Each structure stands twice: as C-alpha cells, then as structure tokens.
C-alpha cells in the first residue's frame, strides 16, 4: 500500500520524512510536531529533486537526493499527527484533483552510525509528501530547483 485516504485505515504506522517547514527549527515544527514525536533523525530521500515553492518546498521524483528528517510519532498520537499533516499538506486522498501534495510510502536512508563498523546507513519505509501531479508538471517546466536538495540552504537568511 503506497497511499491512504485521510481518516482511512492505515496498514502500518510508518514514520514521516519531512524536508521543509516541518524541519526542526522551522515554524511548522513547533506548531504541528511539538509533543507529538518520539524520535527525529536526519535522513535522505533518494531519487528525488527539491523545488522552491511559495514559502515552502516541493519534492518530486527525479535523479537527486532530498535531505530532511525522519519523524516517529509519539505513542498514542499517530492518528492525530497523520490527520494534522494531511491537512497541512493539502492531501485530500490518493490522486484527488485538488491535492497540493500526495502522501506516498518511500524508502528513506538514515546515515550510518560512526560506531556501526561498516559505515553504511539503513533504509526505512516512511510517508513522504511529494508534489501532486499538476504541481509536478508545473515545477518541471518552470520551477526553481534547489541545488543539493537542502531547503534550509536554498533560502536567503531571515526568509520564512
């Protein structure tokens, strides 16, 4: 299962990969995530590109890497957190024509621990909000690509 309608059954309580205003230190992190996460780790979304949007970024499928954070919901708040994030990201359901983003399950990479011995990171399946189809088409033709796939370094200091 790769997508789930808001309020619908969830096969597994996947963690969330965030890469924009939900990152630690960004405005929506405190508004939506404070007290609702049990863990946060740096992570990378492979096979994706990051585009600048009107105050927030969009990730789309592509030949690059997007840097962000993997969030694990705190016990007992998964459904609440899922609903809040779906609302924030304007995800109305799989393939809905008014979606701003699609919530999809993707493999994200966690950096290897220095003491792991082998240096390789692990891969984890997580929910990711990718730009919806209409938004993706617009970005591919006239969007501003963020080099390096890091939204926080793609903005001017003091920007939102």
């Amino acid at each position: 299962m790769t997508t789930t309608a808001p309020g619908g059954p969830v096969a597994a309580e996947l963690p969330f990969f965030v890469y924009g205003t939900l990152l630690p230190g960004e405005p929506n992190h405190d508004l939506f995530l404070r007290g609702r996460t049990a863990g946060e780790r740096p992570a990378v979304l492979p096979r994706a590109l990051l585009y600048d949007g009107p105050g927030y970024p969009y990730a789309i499928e592509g030949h690059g890497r997007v840097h962000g954070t993997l969030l694990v919901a705190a016990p007992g708040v998964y459904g609440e957190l899922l609903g809040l994030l779906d609302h924030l990201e304007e995800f109305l359901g799989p393939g809905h024509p008014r979606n701003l983003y699609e919530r999809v399950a993707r493999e994200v990479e966690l950096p290897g621990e220095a003491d792991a011995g082998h240096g390789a990171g692990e891969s984890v399946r997580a929910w990711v909000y990718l730009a919806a189809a209409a938004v993706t088409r617009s970005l591919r033709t006239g969007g501003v690509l963020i080099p390096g796939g890091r939204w926080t370094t793609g903005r001017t200091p003091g920007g939102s």
Side-chain angles (χ1 to χ4, degrees):
M1 177 163 130
T2 58
T3 60
T4 300
V10 177
E13 293 190 358
L14 297 177
F16 299 90
F17 175 80
V18 299
Y19 53 84
T21 65
L22 290 164
L23 288 168
E26 295 295 332
N28 283 336
H29 184 275
D30 281 351
L31 285 172
F32 291 89
L33 301 174
R34 182 179 296 274
R36 293 185 178 102
T37 63
E40 302 181 8
R41 292 181 61 177
V44 175
L45 177 65
R47 297 174 299 286
L49 296 171
L50 195 62
Y51 281 86
D52 205 7
Y56 46 86
Y58 293 101
I60 68 170
E61 301 283 345
H63 300 290
R65 297 166 63 79
V66 173
H67 297 267
T69 299
L70 185 73
L71 309 169
V72 175
V77 301
Y78 189 85
E80 174 192 4
L81 184 57
L82 183 67
L84 285 169
L85 296 181
D86 280 352
H87 179 74
L88 174 68
E89 306 294 5
E90 297 182 40
F91 171 69
L92 304 174
H96 194 285
R98 290 195 341 253
N99 281 350
L100 186 60
Y101 292 88
E102 289 284 340
R103 176 167 37 90
V104 296
R106 292 287 187 268
E107 293 294 319
V108 297
E109 299 169 354
L110 301 173
E113 299 295 326
D115 58 11
H118 50 76
E122 61 180 299
S123 180
V124 174
R125 197 146 181 87
W127 288 125
V128 179
Y129 291 90
L130 297 178
V135 176
T136 297
R137 283 191 296 276
S138 174
L139 291 170
R140 287 191 191 281
T141 58
V144 177
L145 185 66
I146 297 174
R150 282 185 202 273
W151 185 65
T152 52
T153 60
R155 297 175 296 133
T156 58
S160 60

